[in-house]
Amino acid sequence: MKYTVFIEQTPNNYAAYVPDLPGCVATAGTRQKVLEEIREAIEFHIEGMREDAVPIPEPNSTAAVVDATVAAAR
């Protein structure tokens, strides 16, 4: 399964979360490392859900990048 992951840069690191898996988060010092960490977090999260007999949610979220033009102040 492929889950949408949101990555945010903070002043000190990068943070990632998976909207379809509430509570599945990761942080790291670089974007590449946070991607590695969230991949492991997803696997661990799903493994825990299986052990607890909790249904695994299907990937449902999507993301898009939108260009927005802001009018210059007059």
Side-chain angles (χ1 to χ4, degrees):
M1 287 191 264
K2 294 183 179 184
Y3 286 97
T4 298
V5 173
F6 287 92
I7 301 168
E8 298 174 349
Q9 185 174 7
T10 70
N12 299 317
N13 63 10
Y14 288 82
Y17 66 96
V18 184
D20 292 323
L21 299 172
C24 187
V25 299
T27 62
T30 66
R31 180 179 168 81
Q32 182 60 38
K33 185 65 176 171
V34 83
L35 284 171
E36 294 170 17
E37 295 291 329
I38 197 67
R39 186 174 293 111
E40 290 179 20
I42 291 168
E43 292 170 2
F44 183 74
H45 196 88
I46 290 173
E47 181 180 307
M49 293 177 78
R50 285 189 178 128
E51 288 175 3
D52 294 340
V54 174
I56 310 301
E58 291 292 323
N60 195 26
S61 296
T62 61
V65 176
V66 178
D67 284 329
T69 304
V70 179
R74 293 181 188 227

